[in-house]
Amino acid sequence: MLRTTAAVVAGKAARAASRLRGGGSALPGLVAEKVDPGFLAHALADVRGGILVVTGTNGKTTTTKMLVAVLRAHGRTVFTNPTGSNFTRGVISSMLGELPLRGRLVADMAVLELDEAHALKFVAAVKPTHALLLNVARDQLDRFAEIDHTAQLLASLAEQTTSGVVLNLDDSFVSRIRDRVAPGVGVHYFGVDASIADRLPELQEQDVRFEDDFVPPTAGPDDGLLKPSDERSFEVLFGDGAPGSGTVGPLELQQRGLAAMINATAATATARMLLGDAFDPDRAASALRAVTPPFGRGEVVDVDGQPLELVLVKNPAGFTVALGTYGTTPVATMVAINDNYADGRDVSWLYDVSFESLRDRGVAVTSGVRGYDMALRLQYDDVAVERVEPDLETALDAFLAAHPSEPKRIFCTYTAMMALRRVLAARYDLPDIGEEAS
C-alpha cells in the first residue's frame, strides 16, 4: 500500500513536469511502474464491472472512444486511456490523473486501448474480463513482422480473457480465434451485412491459406452487423433486424467513412455484451451520433476560417481506406511521413498503397523524416509534388500560406501527427489530446 502511494506521488509529479515541458505521455507511467512494479494490478483491483481490452491493427482509438461514450450514456463510470498512448505505461499515465493517493481506481468499468504487443504485457499483470479484437493487417513490419505473428498476439490475449470476447466476423485472422478461448468464455461477433460484403477487400488483408479446413462462423442473434443505407447513414442489426431485435439506428456519425461505421458496429456489439439487458438501442445511437473524431483521426481544425483535416495513416490498409474515404472530396494535400519507433522504422509499406486518387490535384508538400521518400513514391504514381520540406513546422507554414482560402488535408504518420497537432493546438487553442468533447 505504501509502495503504491509512493508510486502515485512520483507519477503525478512526473506527469506535472511532463506537461510543463510538453513531453510524452508514457514517462509518468514509467516512473510509477519503476516505484511499484505491481502498479497496474493494484490500481485496477476495485474495478468490479469489467476490464476490457480493445486491440487490433486499425481503429483502436476510434472504437475505444465510441464504446466508452455508449457505456457512459448508460450511466456507467468508465476509466479509459484517451490519449492514444496504448502501451502499458501510457495506460498508467492516464490513470495518474484520476487516482487518489491510495492508488485504487474508482470506476464501474475500465476500457483500455492497447497496442497488440503491449496487450500481452498488460495481461501479464492483469487478466482482462473482456476483449474486443478488431482486425489484423501489416503494420510496423520491424516490430510485428508478418501478420500471422500479430494474429498470434491477439489469440494469446483471447486465451487469457476470463468472461467474453468480441471478434471480427469478417477477418479470418481474428474470427478463427474463437477456437482459442477458454471454456465458458462467451464469444460474440461484429461484421458487415451481406449487402456490402463486396467492400471488405478494401479494408482488410487477404487470407491466402489455400489448404485450410477453417469454416467461417455465422452471425447469431447477439452479434452486430453493419448495414449502411448510403455513404453516411447506417444501422447495426442484431438477429433478423426485425422490430424488437435491438437494431441500433439509423444514424450518422461525425466521422466519415466505412471504417468508422465498422468501428461503431464493433463498439455497439461490445456494449451490448457488457450491458446485457440494460443495453438501450436508442441511447446507444444517440451516444454514437455525438462522438467527435479522436485527435488526428479525421479531426477537423478550423484554420483561419477554413477546415484542415488531420488524417492518421500508418499501414497499407489504413492509408488505402483513408484515400478511399477522403478521395471523394479532393482538397489541397500535404503528406508527412516519419519513421520513428512509434511509426515503425520500415516505410516500404508505402509501395503497397495506390496514390492515383491524388493525381489530379497533386500534393502541395511532403514532409517529415521520410519526406523525400514519400515524394519519390508519389512520383511512381505520377502524382506531382510541389515541394519537399523535411521540417514539419516549416512545411506546415508553407502549406497554410500557399492555400489560405480553401479546405486542406494532411495525411500523417503517428509521430508526425502528434508534432503537427501540438503546433496547431498552440496556434488555434485546441483542446489537449484526450480532453476533446466526447
Side-chain angles (χ1 to χ4, degrees):
M1 177 69 179
L2 288 176
R3 193 168 191 174
T4 301
T5 298
V8 172
V9 172
K12 284 179 179 288
R15 185 170 184 266
S18 182
R19 287 197 157 197
L20 285 174
R21 298 181 59 186
S25 54
L27 177 62
L30 172 63
V31 171
E33 200 171 39
K34 285 288 185 185
V35 176
D36 179 9
F39 190 89
L40 267 175
H42 297 149
L44 291 167
D46 289 346
V47 178
R48 306 296 186 192
I51 298 171
L52 181 134
V53 171
V54 181
T55 192
T57 305
N58 291 316
K60 293 184 289 291
T61 300
T62 300
T63 305
T64 299
K65 187 173 184 180
M66 290 175 171
L67 175 56
V68 169
V70 173
L71 294 173
R72 286 176 175 166
H74 284 78
R76 303 300 191 271
T77 56
V78 183
F79 167 75
T80 189
N81 51 329
T83 65
S85 181
N86 54 28
F87 293 2
T88 49
R89 289 163 183 170
V91 172
I92 294 173
S93 293
S94 295
M95 285 181 181
L96 289 167
E98 301 186 24
L99 280 174
L101 288 179
R102 69 188 185 93
R104 297 294 184 98
L105 196 65
V106 179
D108 295 326
M109 299 175 172
V111 176
L112 306 172
E113 171 198 346
L114 284 166
D115 166 274
E116 300 90 295
H118 279 259
L120 296 187
K121 294 184 178 180
F122 177 85
V123 168
V126 179
K127 294 289 183 287
T129 59
H130 301 84
L132 167 56
L133 308 183
L134 294 171
N135 47 60
V136 172
R138 283 170 292 157
D139 185 34
Q140 300 188 52
L141 299 179
D142 51 300
R143 287 186 62 210
F144 295 119
E146 294 300 324
I147 54 179
D148 285 340
H149 175 65
T150 307
Q152 179 59 37
L153 294 174
L154 268 58
S156 296
L157 169 64
E159 287 174 338
Q160 299 176 75
T161 301
T162 61
S163 294
V165 297
V166 180
L167 306 177
N168 186 335
L169 185 72
D170 303 308
D171 186 324
S172 63
F173 293 95
V174 175
S175 63
R176 67 177 67 223
I177 291 174
R178 70 181 177 187
D179 299 326
R180 301 280 295 272
V181 302
V185 174
V187 178
H188 300 263
Y189 297 97
F190 70 93
V192 304
D193 182 72
S195 61
I196 61 161
D198 62 326
R199 294 191 61 184
L200 286 172
E202 70 185 77
L203 297 170
Q204 61 188 35
E205 301 282 353
Q206 294 297 309
D207 190 341
V208 294
R209 284 169 280 197
F210 298 114
E211 297 179 2
D212 191 289
D213 58 0
F214 173 68
V215 177
T218 55
D222 293 325
D223 303 327
L225 295 181
L226 167 68
K227 186 174 184 180
S229 305
D230 51 41
E231 289 298 315
R232 296 302 302 267
S233 179
F234 68 98
E235 296 175 303
V236 179
L237 307 180
F238 291 93
D240 59 5
S245 61
T247 295
V248 174
L251 70 136
E252 291 186 10
L253 300 172
Q254 297 190 35
Q255 192 170 2
R256 289 192 281 162
L258 179 59
M261 294 184 193
I262 293 176
N263 292 336
T265 304
T268 301
T270 306
R272 180 172 158 134
M273 174 189 69
L274 292 169
L275 295 167
D277 292 340
F279 180 79
D280 181 340
D282 292 335
R283 196 170 294 184
S286 179
L288 290 170
R289 289 188 189 100
V291 174
T292 56
F295 63 96
R297 279 83 170 172
E299 180 182 19
V300 180
V301 180
D302 186 328
V303 174
D304 303 325
Q306 293 293 333
L308 169 64
E309 290 175 311
L310 286 177
V311 182
L312 176 67
V313 291
K314 63 192 187 80
N315 52 53
F319 211 150
T320 299
V321 169
L323 289 169
T325 299
Y326 296 95
T328 56
T329 53
V331 298
T333 299
M334 171 174 157
V335 184
I337 303 295
N338 275 353
D339 66 353
N340 297 317
Y341 177 75
D343 304 297
R345 305 305 303 271
D346 182 346
V347 296
S348 62
W349 61 269
L350 290 169
Y351 284 82
D352 291 334
V353 181
S354 172
F355 294 96
E356 292 180 1
S357 63
L358 298 175
R359 190 176 291 163
D360 288 345
R361 281 218 51 166
V363 168
V365 188
T366 61
S367 182
V369 177
R370 295 291 192 140
Y372 282 100
D373 297 82
M374 188 67 233
L376 176 62
R377 173 65 191 93
L378 291 169
Q379 187 176 44
Y380 279 110
D381 276 355
D382 296 323
V383 178
V385 177
E386 296 174 19
R387 176 173 176 174
V388 180
E389 172 49 64
D391 183 81
L392 288 167
E393 187 165 356
T394 303
L396 177 65
D397 287 338
F399 181 52
L400 298 181
H403 303 275
S405 304
E406 60 180 311
K408 293 168 278 292
R409 183 174 301 133
I410 303 177
F411 295 105
C412 40
T413 56
Y414 182 74
T415 64
M417 181 272 290
M418 295 293 281
L420 290 167
R421 196 187 183 284
R422 277 195 290 271
V423 173
L424 292 166
R427 295 182 185 180
Y428 298 100
D429 195 27
L430 304 184
D432 290 340
I433 289 172
E435 295 180 355
E436 318 100 298
S438 63

